Amino acid sequence: MSYPALTAQSLRWLQQLQQRLNASGSERVSTRSKTVQQVLLWCIEHELVPGNSLNLPQFSFSLALLSDIARVQRQLKHACYLDAPEQHSRLDNATRSQQELKSVGLKPRQHRALLKLNKPADISLGIAADIIDIDWQQLPLTQFDALLVVENLDCFYQLDAFTLQLPYQQPLIIYRGDSQYSSGCKALKAQWLKQNKPTLYFGDFDAKGVSIALNEGYSAMLLPELATLQQHASQSMLPVKQLGFIAGIKAKTVAVEFTPYQQVLCEQLKGLRQQNMQGMLLLYVAT
């Protein structure tokens, strides 16, 4: 007879229980919990515990029982809690079990990043690619001298429309990410910051963009010269819904060269969208 496999929630509960039992050896738990009931029902069906276990107010779990649960899961080709399926891709999980857990495991783009190549690479059919989707863990981060994160996807794709004055020979240029790529960018940047190399932000000069630059480990923003920014910035490019960030930005101690930009934003309440920076010389401004 084929019994339903344990759900993702039950697998997580068993993982947590295993960690506690490694220290205590056994643990009595209430049988009123739905997750505990599901695990015990599964165990009863597979004759791992007495049939009256669900009738008890509490049940004692041991390391020996958890070992038996894992053994049966693997025999039945169910997802095994010991294999930590949430830490692997769905392809990897498929090699371990026949149970499909769509909500469990690494998402296809979890480690992916959109990378702008400094020089277009020739690929087949005479096509030159200047943007690639790559697993960031494959990148030799030590070979780059700066990280440039671009906020908006349209500006990232058309980065050549902007005049970037970068004082670096080999910058790594990536898209900050949305619901599809943000986790990869975040993980890459966390690893990058360990190298103590420059981390630049190129995005909207508004309360949200500046707050990101000041609070997420960036050492500089790419911005127009102050006079150019003052000429083109406007209150209409500072969304009202972002005004809640202003107090925090104003309270920040910033680099001397960024102070007048801070004043334009916080005192004049003016912003400048990234898309409107086309045609302007964009400089490294330490934050």
Side-chain angles (χ1 to χ4, degrees), residues 112-146:
R112 309 299 294 189
L114 279 184
L115 169 66
K116 170 80 172 176
L117 299 176
N118 294 316
K119 294 181 180 179
D122 291 330
I123 56 178
S124 61
L125 304 176
I127 300 172
D130 63 340
I131 292 175
I132 60 172
D133 173 315
I134 190 171
D135 184 330
W136 74 266
Q137 297 169 111
Q138 298 176 3
L139 292 171
L141 297 183
T142 56
Q143 295 184 19
F144 299 94
D145 52 5

Side-chain angles (χ1 to χ4, degrees), residues 4-260:
L6 291 174
T7 64
Q9 182 177 352
S10 294
L11 296 176
R12 285 192 293 270
W13 185 83
L14 285 169
Q15 289 173 340
Q16 295 166 358
L17 179 62
Q18 173 83 42
Q19 294 175 356
R20 297 195 299 271
L21 294 189
N22 286 338
S24 65
S26 66
E27 181 176 317
R28 295 182 65 83
V29 299
S30 171
T31 57
R32 297 179 63 182
S33 162
K34 289 184 178 180
T35 301
V36 173
Q37 290 173 4
Q38 184 188 60
V39 171
L40 285 178
L41 179 59
W42 187 91
C43 290
I44 291 170
E45 291 174 332
H46 293 288
E47 300 181 348
L48 298 180
V49 299
N52 67 340
S53 298
L54 280 172
N55 298 328
L56 303 174
Q58 290 186 319
F59 183 86
S60 181
F61 281 85
S62 65
L63 286 172
L65 175 56
L66 264 62
S67 178
D68 287 338
I69 291 173
R71 173 180 53 80
V72 174
Q73 284 179 322
R74 287 171 172 157
Q75 287 175 351
L76 297 175
K77 296 191 180 301
H78 290 183
C80 178
Y81 79 92
L82 284 178
D83 294 333
E86 75 283 353
Q87 298 179 14
H88 305 282
S89 70
R90 288 179 63 190
L91 271 70
D92 289 337
N93 287 333
T95 65
R96 296 182 175 91
S97 79
Q98 296 176 358
Q99 180 181 353
E100 184 177 34
L101 295 168
K102 288 187 176 182
S103 63
V104 176
L106 300 178
K107 296 180 180 179
R109 292 190 180 94
Q110 189 156 335
H111 294 310
R112 309 299 294 189
L114 279 184
L115 169 66
K116 170 80 172 176
L117 299 176
N118 294 316
K119 294 181 180 179
D122 291 330
I123 56 178
S124 61
L125 304 176
I127 300 172
D130 63 340
I131 292 175
I132 60 172
D133 173 315
I134 190 171
D135 184 330
W136 74 266
Q137 297 169 111
Q138 298 176 3
L139 292 171
L141 297 183
T142 56
Q143 295 184 19
F144 299 94
D145 52 5
L147 174 66
L148 173 61
V149 178
V150 181
E151 177 181 349
N152 294 301
L153 186 58
D154 53 354
C155 297
F156 176 80
Y157 279 134
Q158 301 182 63
L159 200 59
D160 293 340
F162 299 89
T163 306
L164 310 182
Q165 186 166 303
L166 292 174
Y168 304 104
Q169 298 298 315
Q170 191 69 13
L172 173 59
I173 304 173
I174 64 169
Y175 170 48
R176 181 172 183 262
D178 44 26
S179 60
Q180 303 298 326
Y181 286 100
S182 60
S183 61
C185 172
K186 189 177 297 184
L188 186 160
K189 186 164 75 70
Q191 188 65 29
W192 175 268
L193 290 173
K194 296 177 182 179
Q195 300 184 108
N196 295 316
K197 293 181 181 180
T199 309
L200 287 64
Y201 191 73
F202 177 39
D204 297 323
F205 179 74
D206 58 15
K208 180 68 180 296
V210 172
S211 180
I212 290 171
L214 296 181
N215 292 292
E216 296 187 10
Y218 293 94
S219 49
M221 289 187 73
L222 290 185
L223 292 169
E225 293 179 324
L226 182 61
T228 303
L229 182 135
Q230 289 175 319
Q231 180 182 352
H232 292 88
S234 71
Q235 292 184 344
S236 65
M237 285 192 274
L238 176 57
V240 173
K241 64 182 180 181
Q242 295 186 11
L243 293 179
F245 292 100
I246 293 296
I249 295 171
K250 194 171 183 178
K252 280 281 185 182
T253 301
V254 299
V256 173
E257 51 265 55
F258 193 77
T259 299

